[in-house]
Amino acid sequence: MFIGKLNGHFRLMLTGAALSVMALSAPALAVTPADTLVQAWAIDDTITLDPAESFELSPAEFLGNAYDMLVRLDINDTTKVRPGVAESWTVSDDGLTYTFKLKPGLKFASGNPITAEDVAWSFERVVKLDKSPAFIVTQFGLTKDNVTEKAKAVDASTFVFTVDKSYAPSFVLNCLTATVGAVMDKKLVLEHVAPVTPTDDYKFDNDFGNGWLKTGYAGSGPFKIRDWRANEILVLERNDNYYGEKAALARVIYRHVKESATQRLMLESGDVDVARNLEPGDLEAISKNADLATTSAPKGTMYYISLNQKNENLAKPEVRQALKYLVDYDAIGSTLIKGIGEIRQTYQPKGVLGALDSDPFKFDVAKAKELLEKAGLKDGFSITMDVRNTQPVTGIAEAFQQTAGQAGVKVEIIPGDGKQTLTKYRARNHDMYIGQWGMDYWDPNSNAETFTSNPNNADDGTVKTLAWRNAWDVPELTEKTKAALLERDNDKRAAMYKELQQAALDTSPFVLVFQQTEVAGLRGNVKNYKLGPNFDSNFVAPVTKD
């Protein structure tokens, strides 16, 4: 697969050793290709490229650029959605039926036409696969038994979606902007699912192409996914069948580079066009370099420490509160996240309806010791913390290890890559975990539901929110979260979300630390590079290079 020409004579082939060399070698390129954007970014949290399964941050960006949905978030006005493959939509008077009319003449990257049947099948596979992000769709009353009736094509260009309650329309539409709502090329996917037996006449097995789509691609976005090698590289290539304005560049290459200093050196030498995981010191150095530029945007992403309630010590209310007093927020804010985040102790990001601005906790060892003594742990206790080995989480974990130790809480840090730590966390096998949570859609329910709702705390619970991951059983807050979702008066709804956030401050096993400010360092010739409020809205199609 030919990628391009470097300096008029060097050609890079996306096969075998050549690709690995690009991904893994020390900086070697004097100039990146004129038609290619090369980004250095830690992408080791990428586990799958199937939109029905993927639920991590970096792949959200890949999928957001490679797939289209019925509707998309309007990044210029995040209170609205804009058309995706849908040209228009209406909502019935009872608030239960959403009818979408598709734009005419659309094609997938494969050349297959996009029809309402593809949309309906995409909903069906999400519900029947029932992977991590499926709840974004199933929360509207869809089940494996009723999905084909509740999400159906009535003709080639009309898709009808029936929900179980009269939700605020903005909530429904915002959910459909998530990558789980990606419209899939049904014909192409089924070509990659083997028949159950040679005599079954193309009766397909029940994985709906999930095995192939872990690394495959079947979308219609401005880019198509050409190649992915875990912990090495991902390549997006322009989709010339895209119905809208074509991507300005031929391809975008993401190179897996974890260390901020390495990213900065690669940016300075011209080996990459964009650096994505910059720590404060490197960000400052880049901002002083006349050949480089920086850009930033507040993100709907929260960094937090979570406490598994299966651990008998962490399950004590006084311990949960004590640990919130053992974070040195001021020191973290002035050093580890300077320029890349803002201290925030409530789980709703700024700018979201009902966001509560309250930071009541300060580093206070005496207060923490008092709470620990009330919990019967005067001499402290020992605990483990799973930490993805990337910054700034490693630095925050080490800082917390030191400050917690001052109150007798001995923290053992267990480092791992994104896949290792996430897998353990999702299985509820951790004690403490430090991670980040990005909004699934730009609506307060996204974070309220995951931080203060846990419909079924059993190990086989079907709605695996962050509260579930930490075995925090809160039936009263779960009901209040549901009630807020159905409140159509925005002022009343905002007040309900503020009440939920206050309850989390007072009782939850979540130590909220900061809201991310995403930053990027750029070569001076990179233009129109803009970061969005969510990772799936970091659109790279408009980017050009002088």
Side-chain angles (χ1 to χ4, degrees), residues 427-448:
R428 310 208 293 186
N429 289 331
H430 63 294
D431 284 335
M432 299 174 66
Y433 171 85
I434 181 169
Q436 58 191 123
W437 178 263
M439 296 184 73
D440 299 312
Y441 42 86
W442 201 254
D443 186 275
N445 182 69
S446 178
N447 280 17

mmCIF file with all atom_site columns, all heavy atoms in Angstrom, residues 427-448:
data_model
loop_
_atom_site.group_PDB
_atom_site.id
_atom_site.type_symbol
_atom_site.label_atom_id
_atom_site.label_alt_id
_atom_site.label_comp_id
_atom_site.label_asym_id
_atom_site.label_entity_id
_atom_site.label_seq_id
_atom_site.pdbx_PDB_ins_code
_atom_site.Cartn_x
_atom_site.Cartn_y
_atom_site.Cartn_z
_atom_site.occupancy
_atom_site.B_iso_or_equiv
_atom_site.pdbx_formal_charge
_atom_site.auth_seq_id
_atom_site.auth_comp_id
_atom_site.auth_asym_id
_atom_site.auth_atom_id
_atom_site.pdbx_PDB_model_num
ATOM 1   N N   . ALA A 1 427 ? -13.055 -5.180 35.135 1.00 0.00 ? 427 ALA A N   1
ATOM 2   C CA  . ALA A 1 427 ? -13.428 -6.430 35.803 1.00 0.00 ? 427 ALA A CA  1
ATOM 3   C C   . ALA A 1 427 ? -13.616 -6.244 37.313 1.00 0.00 ? 427 ALA A C   1
ATOM 4   O O   . ALA A 1 427 ? -13.887 -7.203 38.021 1.00 0.00 ? 427 ALA A O   1
ATOM 5   C CB  . ALA A 1 427 ? -12.360 -7.490 35.535 1.00 0.00 ? 427 ALA A CB  1
ATOM 6   N N   . ARG A 1 428 ? -13.453 -5.027 37.794 1.00 0.00 ? 428 ARG A N   1
ATOM 7   C CA  . ARG A 1 428 ? -13.594 -4.700 39.222 1.00 0.00 ? 428 ARG A CA  1
ATOM 8   C C   . ARG A 1 428 ? -12.574 -5.448 40.075 1.00 0.00 ? 428 ARG A C   1
ATOM 9   O O   . ARG A 1 428 ? -12.842 -5.804 41.220 1.00 0.00 ? 428 ARG A O   1
ATOM 10  C CB  . ARG A 1 428 ? -15.021 -4.994 39.736 1.00 0.00 ? 428 ARG A CB  1
ATOM 11  C CG  . ARG A 1 428 ? -16.124 -4.404 38.883 1.00 0.00 ? 428 ARG A CG  1
ATOM 12  C CD  . ARG A 1 428 ? -17.397 -4.092 39.643 1.00 0.00 ? 428 ARG A CD  1
ATOM 13  N NE  . ARG A 1 428 ? -18.114 -5.238 40.156 1.00 0.00 ? 428 ARG A NE  1
ATOM 14  C CZ  . ARG A 1 428 ? -19.317 -5.142 40.749 1.00 0.00 ? 428 ARG A CZ  1
ATOM 15  N NH1 . ARG A 1 428 ? -19.903 -3.970 40.889 1.00 0.00 ? 428 ARG A NH1 1
ATOM 16  N NH2 . ARG A 1 428 ? -19.934 -6.216 41.195 1.00 0.00 ? 428 ARG A NH2 1
ATOM 17  N N   . ASN A 1 429 ? -11.385 -5.634 39.517 1.00 0.00 ? 429 ASN A N   1
ATOM 18  C CA  . ASN A 1 429 ? -10.334 -6.370 40.230 1.00 0.00 ? 429 ASN A CA  1
ATOM 19  C C   . ASN A 1 429 ? -9.271  -5.454 40.821 1.00 0.00 ? 429 ASN A C   1
ATOM 20  O O   . ASN A 1 429 ? -8.212  -5.922 41.239 1.00 0.00 ? 429 ASN A O   1
ATOM 21  C CB  . ASN A 1 429 ? -9.667  -7.380 39.291 1.00 0.00 ? 429 ASN A CB  1
ATOM 22  C CG  . ASN A 1 429 ? -10.575 -8.537 38.950 1.00 0.00 ? 429 ASN A CG  1
ATOM 23  O OD1 . ASN A 1 429 ? -11.440 -8.911 39.742 1.00 0.00 ? 429 ASN A OD1 1
ATOM 24  N ND2 . ASN A 1 429 ? -10.389 -9.115 37.770 1.00 0.00 ? 429 ASN A ND2 1
ATOM 25  N N   . HIS A 1 430 ? -9.515  -4.164 40.863 1.00 0.00 ? 430 HIS A N   1
ATOM 26  C CA  . HIS A 1 430 ? -8.562  -3.196 41.385 1.00 0.00 ? 430 HIS A CA  1
ATOM 27  C C   . HIS A 1 430 ? -8.881  -2.871 42.845 1.00 0.00 ? 430 HIS A C   1
ATOM 28  O O   . HIS A 1 430 ? -9.944  -3.229 43.356 1.00 0.00 ? 430 HIS A O   1
ATOM 29  C CB  . HIS A 1 430 ? -8.636  -1.910 40.566 1.00 0.00 ? 430 HIS A CB  1
ATOM 30  C CG  . HIS A 1 430 ? -9.970  -1.235 40.670 1.00 0.00 ? 430 HIS A CG  1
ATOM 31  N ND1 . HIS A 1 430 ? -11.133 -1.799 40.172 1.00 0.00 ? 430 HIS A ND1 1
ATOM 32  C CD2 . HIS A 1 430 ? -10.354 -0.048 41.253 1.00 0.00 ? 430 HIS A CD2 1
ATOM 33  C CE1 . HIS A 1 430 ? -12.151 -1.003 40.425 1.00 0.00 ? 430 HIS A CE1 1
ATOM 34  N NE2 . HIS A 1 430 ? -11.723 0.064  41.077 1.00 0.00 ? 430 HIS A NE2 1
ATOM 35  N N   . ASP A 1 431 ? -7.956  -2.199 43.513 1.00 0.00 ? 431 ASP A N   1
ATOM 36  C CA  . ASP A 1 431 ? -8.256  -1.525 44.777 1.00 0.00 ? 431 ASP A CA  1
ATOM 37  C C   . ASP A 1 431 ? -8.543  -0.053 44.465 1.00 0.00 ? 431 ASP A C   1
ATOM 38  O O   . ASP A 1 431 ? -9.653  0.419  44.616 1.00 0.00 ? 431 ASP A O   1
ATOM 39  C CB  . ASP A 1 431 ? -7.088  -1.646 45.757 1.00 0.00 ? 431 ASP A CB  1
ATOM 40  C CG  . ASP A 1 431 ? -6.993  -3.018 46.399 1.00 0.00 ? 431 ASP A CG  1
ATOM 41  O OD1 . ASP A 1 431 ? -8.031  -3.709 46.475 1.00 0.00 ? 431 ASP A OD1 1
ATOM 42  O OD2 . ASP A 1 431 ? -5.896  -3.396 46.814 1.00 0.00 ? 431 ASP A OD2 1
ATOM 43  N N   . MET A 1 432 ? -7.486  0.634  44.028 1.00 0.00 ? 432 MET A N   1
ATOM 44  C CA  . MET A 1 432 ? -7.640  2.013  43.581 1.00 0.00 ? 432 MET A CA  1
ATOM 45  C C   . MET A 1 432 ? -7.183  2.091  42.129 1.00 0.00 ? 432 MET A C   1
ATOM 46  O O   . MET A 1 432 ? -6.347  1.304  41.673 1.00 0.00 ? 432 MET A O   1
ATOM 47  C CB  . MET A 1 432 ? -6.811  2.965  44.457 1.00 0.00 ? 432 MET A CB  1
ATOM 48  C CG  . MET A 1 432 ? -7.208  2.963  45.917 1.00 0.00 ? 432 MET A CG  1
ATOM 49  S SD  . MET A 1 432 ? -6.101  3.974  46.943 1.00 0.00 ? 432 MET A SD  1
ATOM 50  C CE  . MET A 1 432 ? -6.464  5.603  46.301 1.00 0.00 ? 432 MET A CE  1
ATOM 51  N N   . TYR A 1 433 ? -7.733  3.042  41.417 1.00 0.00 ? 433 TYR A N   1
ATOM 52  C CA  . TYR A 1 433 ? -7.403  3.209  40.006 1.00 0.00 ? 433 TYR A CA  1
ATOM 53  C C   . TYR A 1 433 ? -7.410  4.700  39.706 1.00 0.00 ? 433 TYR A C   1
ATOM 54  O O   . TYR A 1 433 ? -8.293  5.432  40.162 1.00 0.00 ? 433 TYR A O   1
ATOM 55  C CB  . TYR A 1 433 ? -8.436  2.491  39.145 1.00 0.00 ? 433 TYR A CB  1
ATOM 56  C CG  . TYR A 1 433 ? -8.336  2.755  37.656 1.00 0.00 ? 433 TYR A CG  1
ATOM 57  C CD1 . TYR A 1 433 ? -7.463  2.023  36.857 1.00 0.00 ? 433 TYR A CD1 1
ATOM 58  C CD2 . TYR A 1 433 ? -9.119  3.724  37.036 1.00 0.00 ? 433 TYR A CD2 1
ATOM 59  C CE1 . TYR A 1 433 ? -7.373  2.250  35.485 1.00 0.00 ? 433 TYR A CE1 1
ATOM 60  C CE2 . TYR A 1 433 ? -9.048  3.964  35.672 1.00 0.00 ? 433 TYR A CE2 1
ATOM 61  C CZ  . TYR A 1 433 ? -8.167  3.224  34.904 1.00 0.00 ? 433 TYR A CZ  1
ATOM 62  O OH  . TYR A 1 433 ? -8.087  3.458  33.551 1.00 0.00 ? 433 TYR A OH  1
ATOM 63  N N   . ILE A 1 434 ? -6.430  5.146  38.961 1.00 0.00 ? 434 ILE A N   1
ATOM 64  C CA  . ILE A 1 434 ? -6.434  6.544  38.529 1.00 0.00 ? 434 ILE A CA  1
ATOM 65  C C   . ILE A 1 434 ? -6.636  6.560  37.022 1.00 0.00 ? 434 ILE A C   1
ATOM 66  O O   . ILE A 1 434 ? -5.935  5.872  36.281 1.00 0.00 ? 434 ILE A O   1
ATOM 67  C CB  . ILE A 1 434 ? -5.145  7.285  38.948 1.00 0.00 ? 434 ILE A CB  1
ATOM 68  C CG1 . ILE A 1 434 ? -5.208  8.750  38.482 1.00 0.00 ? 434 ILE A CG1 1
ATOM 69  C CG2 . ILE A 1 434 ? -3.893  6.597  38.458 1.00 0.00 ? 434 ILE A CG2 1
ATOM 70  C CD1 . ILE A 1 434 ? -4.108  9.608  39.084 1.00 0.00 ? 434 ILE A CD1 1
ATOM 71  N N   . GLY A 1 435 ? -7.633  7.285  36.596 1.00 0.00 ? 435 GLY A N   1
ATOM 72  C CA  . GLY A 1 435 ? -7.948  7.265  35.177 1.00 0.00 ? 435 GLY A CA  1
ATOM 73  C C   . GLY A 1 435 ? -8.595  8.549  34.715 1.00 0.00 ? 435 GLY A C   1
ATOM 74  O O   . GLY A 1 435 ? -8.671  9.547  35.442 1.00 0.00 ? 435 GLY A O   1
ATOM 75  N N   . GLN A 1 436 ? -9.079  8.517  33.482 1.00 0.00 ? 436 GLN A N   1
ATOM 76  C CA  . GLN A 1 436 ? -9.759  9.667  32.912 1.00 0.00 ? 436 GLN A CA  1
ATOM 77  C C   . GLN A 1 436 ? -11.075 9.201  32.309 1.00 0.00 ? 436 GLN A C   1
ATOM 78  O O   . GLN A 1 436 ? -11.198 8.069  31.834 1.00 0.00 ? 436 GLN A O   1
ATOM 79  C CB  . GLN A 1 436 ? -8.879  10.334 31.854 1.00 0.00 ? 436 GLN A CB  1
ATOM 80  C CG  . GLN A 1 436 ? -8.464  9.438  30.712 1.00 0.00 ? 436 GLN A CG  1
ATOM 81  C CD  . GLN A 1 436 ? -7.399  10.031 29.828 1.00 0.00 ? 436 GLN A CD  1
ATOM 82  O OE1 . GLN A 1 436 ? -6.345  9.446  29.651 1.00 0.00 ? 436 GLN A OE1 1
ATOM 83  N NE2 . GLN A 1 436 ? -7.650  11.177 29.258 1.00 0.00 ? 436 GLN A NE2 1
ATOM 84  N N   . TRP A 1 437 ? -12.052 10.080 32.340 1.00 0.00 ? 437 TRP A N   1
ATOM 85  C CA  . TRP A 1 437 ? -13.367 9.758  31.794 1.00 0.00 ? 437 TRP A CA  1
ATOM 86  C C   . TRP A 1 437 ? -13.796 10.877 30.866 1.00 0.00 ? 437 TRP A C   1
ATOM 87  O O   . TRP A 1 437 ? -13.917 12.033 31.281 1.00 0.00 ? 437 TRP A O   1
ATOM 88  C CB  . TRP A 1 437 ? -14.388 9.589  32.913 1.00 0.00 ? 437 TRP A CB  1
ATOM 89  C CG  . TRP A 1 437 ? -15.755 9.311  32.364 1.00 0.00 ? 437 TRP A CG  1
ATOM 90  C CD1 . TRP A 1 437 ? -16.764 10.224 32.163 1.00 0.00 ? 437 TRP A CD1 1
ATOM 91  C CD2 . TRP A 1 437 ? -16.253 8.055  31.892 1.00 0.00 ? 437 TRP A CD2 1
ATOM 92  N NE1 . TRP A 1 437 ? -17.853 9.600  31.599 1.00 0.00 ? 437 TRP A NE1 1
ATOM 93  C CE2 . TRP A 1 437 ? -17.566 8.272  31.420 1.00 0.00 ? 437 TRP A CE2 1
ATOM 94  C CE3 . TRP A 1 437 ? -15.713 6.775  31.830 1.00 0.00 ? 437 TRP A CE3 1
ATOM 95  C CZ2 . TRP A 1 437 ? -18.346 7.251  30.898 1.00 0.00 ? 437 TRP A CZ2 1
ATOM 96  C CZ3 . TRP A 1 437 ? -16.483 5.756  31.307 1.00 0.00 ? 437 TRP A CZ3 1
ATOM 97  C CH2 . TRP A 1 437 ? -17.790 5.995  30.853 1.00 0.00 ? 437 TRP A CH2 1
ATOM 98  N N   . GLY A 1 438 ? -14.023 10.530 29.607 1.00 0.00 ? 438 GLY A N   1
ATOM 99  C CA  . GLY A 1 438 ? -14.508 11.494 28.641 1.00 0.00 ? 438 GLY A CA  1
ATOM 100 C C   . GLY A 1 438 ? -15.994 11.318 28.421 1.00 0.00 ? 438 GLY A C   1
ATOM 101 O O   . GLY A 1 438 ? -16.502 10.196 28.393 1.00 0.00 ? 438 GLY A O   1
ATOM 102 N N   . MET A 1 439 ? -16.707 12.417 28.277 1.00 0.00 ? 439 MET A N   1
ATOM 103 C CA  . MET A 1 439 ? -18.152 12.352 28.072 1.00 0.00 ? 439 MET A CA  1
ATOM 104 C C   . MET A 1 439 ? -18.464 11.559 26.810 1.00 0.00 ? 439 MET A C   1
ATOM 105 O O   . MET A 1 439 ? -17.824 11.723 25.778 1.00 0.00 ? 439 MET A O   1
ATOM 106 C CB  . MET A 1 439 ? -18.736 13.764 27.964 1.00 0.00 ? 439 MET A CB  1
ATOM 107 C CG  . MET A 1 439 ? -18.597 14.585 29.228 1.00 0.00 ? 439 MET A CG  1
ATOM 108 S SD  . MET A 1 439 ? -19.399 16.201 29.092 1.00 0.00 ? 439 MET A SD  1
ATOM 109 C CE  . MET A 1 439 ? -21.126 15.730 29.171 1.00 0.00 ? 439 MET A CE  1
ATOM 110 N N   . ASP A 1 440 ? -19.478 10.697 26.897 1.00 0.00 ? 440 ASP A N   1
ATOM 111 C CA  . ASP A 1 440 ? -19.889 9.911  25.738 1.00 0.00 ? 440 ASP A CA  1
ATOM 112 C C   . ASP A 1 440 ? -20.701 10.744 24.761 1.00 0.00 ? 440 ASP A C   1
ATOM 113 O O   . ASP A 1 440 ? -20.763 10.445 23.574 1.00 0.00 ? 440 ASP A O   1
ATOM 114 C CB  . ASP A 1 440 ? -20.733 8.715  26.191 1.00 0.00 ? 440 ASP A CB  1
ATOM 115 C CG  . ASP A 1 440 ? -19.946 7.798  27.102 1.00 0.00 ? 440 ASP A CG  1
ATOM 116 O OD1 . ASP A 1 440 ? -18.805 7.457  26.751 1.00 0.00 ? 440 ASP A OD1 1
ATOM 117 O OD2 . ASP A 1 440 ? -20.452 7.443  28.174 1.00 0.00 ? 440 ASP A OD2 1
ATOM 118 N N   . TYR A 1 441 ? -21.349 11.777 25.268 1.00 0.00 ? 441 TYR A N   1
ATOM 119 C CA  . TYR A 1 441 ? -22.132 12.699 24.463 1.00 0.00 ? 441 TYR A CA  1
ATOM 120 C C   . TYR A 1 441 ? -22.286 13.957 25.300 1.00 0.00 ? 441 TYR A C   1
ATOM 121 O O   . TYR A 1 441 ? -22.191 13.934 26.523 1.00 0.00 ? 441 TYR A O   1
ATOM 122 C CB  . TYR A 1 441 ? -23.508 12.113 24.096 1.00 0.00 ? 441 TYR A CB  1
ATOM 123 C CG  . TYR A 1 441 ? -24.178 11.384 25.237 1.00 0.00 ? 441 TYR A CG  1
ATOM 124 C CD1 . TYR A 1 441 ? -24.954 12.073 26.172 1.00 0.00 ? 441 TYR A CD1 1
ATOM 125 C CD2 . TYR A 1 441 ? -24.016 10.012 25.407 1.00 0.00 ? 441 TYR A CD2 1
ATOM 126 C CE1 . TYR A 1 441 ? -25.552 11.424 27.230 1.00 0.00 ? 441 TYR A CE1 1
ATOM 127 C CE2 . TYR A 1 441 ? -24.612 9.356  26.474 1.00 0.00 ? 441 TYR A CE2 1
ATOM 128 C CZ  . TYR A 1 441 ? -25.373 10.063 27.384 1.00 0.00 ? 441 TYR A CZ  1
ATOM 129 O OH  . TYR A 1 441 ? -25.955 9.422  28.439 1.00 0.00 ? 441 TYR A OH  1
ATOM 130 N N   . TRP A 1 442 ? -22.506 15.093 24.648 1.00 0.00 ? 442 TRP A N   1
ATOM 131 C CA  . TRP A 1 442 ? -22.456 16.375 25.340 1.00 0.00 ? 442 TRP A CA  1
ATOM 132 C C   . TRP A 1 442 ? -23.793 16.680 26.021 1.00 0.00 ? 442 TRP A C   1
ATOM 133 O O   . TRP A 1 442 ? -24.561 17.540 25.597 1.00 0.00 ? 442 TRP A O   1
ATOM 134 C CB  . TRP A 1 442 ? -22.074 17.478 24.366 1.00 0.00 ? 442 TRP A CB  1
ATOM 135 C CG  . TRP A 1 442 ? -21.517 18.689 25.052 1.00 0.00 ? 442 TRP A CG  1
ATOM 136 C CD1 . TRP A 1 442 ? -22.148 19.877 25.239 1.00 0.00 ? 442 TRP A CD1 1
ATOM 137 C CD2 . TRP A 1 442 ? -20.232 18.820 25.661 1.00 0.00 ? 442 TRP A CD2 1
ATOM 138 N NE1 . TRP A 1 442 ? -21.344 20.746 25.934 1.00 0.00 ? 442 TRP A NE1 1
ATOM 139 C CE2 . TRP A 1 442 ? -20.154 20.119 26.200 1.00 0.00 ? 442 TRP A CE2 1
ATOM 140 C CE3 . TRP A 1 442 ? -19.134 17.968 25.819 1.00 0.00 ? 442 TRP A CE3 1
ATOM 141 C CZ2 . TRP A 1 442 ? -19.023 20.602 26.860 1.00 0.00 ? 442 TRP A CZ2 1
ATOM 142 C CZ3 . TRP A 1 442 ? -18.013 18.441 26.479 1.00 0.00 ? 442 TRP A CZ3 1
ATOM 143 C CH2 . TRP A 1 442 ? -17.961 19.721 26.986 1.00 0.00 ? 442 TRP A CH2 1
ATOM 144 N N   . ASP A 1 443 ? -24.041 15.969 27.086 1.00 0.00 ? 443 ASP A N   1
ATOM 145 C CA  . ASP A 1 443 ? -25.258 16.139 27.868 1.00 0.00 ? 443 ASP A CA  1
ATOM 146 C C   . ASP A 1 443 ? -24.915 15.753 29.300 1.00 0.00 ? 443 ASP A C   1
ATOM 147 O O   . ASP A 1 443 ? -24.134 14.809 29.515 1.00 0.00 ? 443 ASP A O   1
ATOM 148 C CB  . ASP A 1 443 ? -26.373 15.237 27.319 1.00 0.00 ? 443 ASP A CB  1
ATOM 149 C CG  . ASP A 1 443 ? -27.708 15.478 28.018 1.00 0.00 ? 443 ASP A CG  1
ATOM 150 O OD1 . ASP A 1 443 ? -27.941 14.872 29.088 1.00 0.00 ? 443 ASP A OD1 1
ATOM 151 O OD2 . ASP A 1 443 ? -28.502 16.291 27.506 1.00 0.00 ? 443 ASP A OD2 1
ATOM 152 N N   . PRO A 1 444 ? -25.449 16.440 30.316 1.00 0.00 ? 444 PRO A N   1
ATOM 153 C CA  . PRO A 1 444 ? -25.076 16.136 31.701 1.00 0.00 ? 444 PRO A CA  1
ATOM 154 C C   . PRO A 1 444 ? -25.382 14.711 32.127 1.00 0.00 ? 444 PRO A C   1
ATOM 155 O O   . PRO A 1 444 ? -24.765 14.195 33.061 1.00 0.00 ? 444 PRO A O   1
ATOM 156 C CB  . PRO A 1 444 ? -25.865 17.156 32.532 1.00 0.00 ? 444 PRO A CB  1
ATOM 157 C CG  . PRO A 1 444 ? -26.959 17.640 31.636 1.00 0.00 ? 444 PRO A CG  1
ATOM 158 C CD  . PRO A 1 444 ? -26.385 17.584 30.262 1.00 0.00 ? 444 PRO A CD  1
ATOM 159 N N   . ASN A 1 445 ? -26.329 14.065 31.464 1.00 0.00 ? 445 ASN A N   1
ATOM 160 C CA  . ASN A 1 445 ? -26.627 12.684 31.833 1.00 0.00 ? 445 ASN A CA  1
ATOM 161 C C   . ASN A 1 445 ? -25.437 11.764 31.620 1.00 0.00 ? 445 ASN A C   1
ATOM 162 O O   . ASN A 1 445 ? -25.274 10.771 32.330 1.00 0.00 ? 445 ASN A O   1
ATOM 163 C CB  . ASN A 1 445 ? -27.815 12.161 31.028 1.00 0.00 ? 445 ASN A CB  1
ATOM 164 C CG  . ASN A 1 445 ? -28.181 10.744 31.431 1.00 0.00 ? 445 ASN A CG  1
ATOM 165 O OD1 . ASN A 1 445 ? -28.659 10.509 32.527 1.00 0.00 ? 445 ASN A OD1 1
ATOM 166 N ND2 . ASN A 1 445 ? -27.938 9.787  30.543 1.00 0.00 ? 445 ASN A ND2 1
ATOM 167 N N   . SER A 1 446 ? -24.587 12.092 30.649 1.00 0.00 ? 446 SER A N   1
ATOM 168 C CA  . SER A 1 446 ? -23.438 11.230 30.349 1.00 0.00 ? 446 SER A CA  1
ATOM 169 C C   . SER A 1 446 ? -22.589 10.983 31.589 1.00 0.00 ? 446 SER A C   1
ATOM 170 O O   . SER A 1 446 ? -22.265 9.847  31.919 1.00 0.00 ? 446 SER A O   1
ATOM 171 C CB  . SER A 1 446 ? -22.594 11.852 29.236 1.00 0.00 ? 446 SER A CB  1
ATOM 172 O OG  . SER A 1 446 ? -21.458 11.045 28.961 1.00 0.00 ? 446 SER A OG  1
ATOM 173 N N   . ASN A 1 447 ? -22.230 12.058 32.291 1.00 0.00 ? 447 ASN A N   1
ATOM 174 C CA  . ASN A 1 447 ? -21.402 11.900 33.487 1.00 0.00 ? 447 ASN A CA  1
ATOM 175 C C   . ASN A 1 447 ? -22.218 11.563 34.724 1.00 0.00 ? 447 ASN A C   1
ATOM 176 O O   . ASN A 1 447 ? -21.763 10.815 35.591 1.00 0.00 ? 447 ASN A O   1
ATOM 177 C CB  . ASN A 1 447 ? -20.576 13.158 33.719 1.00 0.00 ? 447 ASN A CB  1
ATOM 178 C CG  . ASN A 1 447 ? -19.338 13.195 32.833 1.00 0.00 ? 447 ASN A CG  1
ATOM 179 O OD1 . ASN A 1 447 ? -19.259 12.469 31.843 1.00 0.00 ? 447 ASN A OD1 1
ATOM 180 N ND2 . ASN A 1 447 ? -18.385 14.036 33.164 1.00 0.00 ? 447 ASN A ND2 1
ATOM 181 N N   . ALA A 1 448 ? -23.432 12.096 34.819 1.00 0.00 ? 448 ALA A N   1
ATOM 182 C CA  . ALA A 1 448 ? -24.265 11.764 35.981 1.00 0.00 ? 448 ALA A CA  1
ATOM 183 C C   . ALA A 1 448 ? -24.543 10.271 36.017 1.00 0.00 ? 448 ALA A C   1
ATOM 184 O O   . ALA A 1 448 ? -24.483 9.634  37.086 1.00 0.00 ? 448 ALA A O   1
ATOM 185 C CB  . ALA A 1 448 ? -25.569 12.549 35.927 1.00 0.00 ? 448 ALA A CB  1
#
